[in-house]
Amino acid sequence: MIQRKSLTEETTAIKTKTDLIATAKQRKRETPAGTPCLLVLSGPLKHKKVLLLASETLLGRDRRCHLRLPDPTISATHAAIVRTADGVLVRDLGSANGTLVNGHKVQADRPLADGDRLFLGNTEIEFRAEE
């Protein structure tokens, strides 16, 4: 006779560190090759990597942002990273302090190239064309 776990037992299972590592490795295997990403280079989220899987990724302090940056010099919804058929671009969303790419202020949608450095407030982020 096969014993079945109750729904409560299945949903309350505690994940061990090994389970979490295995889940992370599985997700990495499922990530499409050539997925662009952002790597935070400074600030409290230094070394955080964000895969750009969605067509638009919001950056800012607001809880609705995909990449929440705890930097008081960053606007609530500061900038967006947009994937298009032609590549990836950055769009400033009317932020108070502006968005810079390689030291140049973003005035309009600006295409990103591998290795470009984005500066939002006091936070530096590197764009990588492939993860």
Side-chain angles (χ1 to χ4, degrees):
M1 179 176 200
I2 299 174
Q3 283 190 328
R4 302 185 84 186
K5 288 183 179 179
S6 72
L7 182 60
T8 304
E9 289 174 316
E10 287 181 25
T11 57
T12 59
I14 296 173
K15 295 261 185 190
T16 65
K17 185 175 180 180
T18 305
D19 292 337
L20 294 173
I21 291 170
T23 300
K25 286 181 179 179
Q26 178 65 31
R27 285 185 184 154
K28 184 170 182 155
R29 284 191 295 273
E30 293 171 355
T31 301
T35 301
C37 69
L38 300 175
L39 178 62
V40 180
L41 300 177
S42 66
L45 297 181
K46 186 175 181 177
H47 303 298
K48 180 172 179 67
K49 185 187 331 183
V50 177
L51 297 175
L52 301 174
L53 299 171
S55 60
E56 182 176 81
T57 302
L58 295 177
L59 297 98
R61 290 189 339 266
D62 194 272
R63 68 174 39 167
R64 294 171 294 164
C65 292
H66 303 98
L67 177 54
R68 288 181 63 195
L69 298 162
D71 177 343
T73 62
I74 292 176
S75 296
T77 51
H78 194 101
I81 306 297
V82 181
R83 292 184 69 175
T84 69
D86 297 326
V88 180
L89 58 88
V90 62
R91 176 181 298 146
D92 185 81
L93 300 175
S95 64
N97 294 319
T99 300
L100 304 176
V101 176
N102 300 328
H104 301 283
K105 190 168 184 173
V106 174
Q107 303 290 345
D109 290 358
R110 185 198 186 282
L112 292 173
D114 189 51
D116 278 349
R117 299 289 174 100
L118 291 85
F119 297 87
L120 289 78
N122 294 321
T123 302
E124 182 178 3
I125 301 171
E126 181 178 359
F127 170 73
R128 295 192 179 164
E130 294 186 13
E131 190 265 331

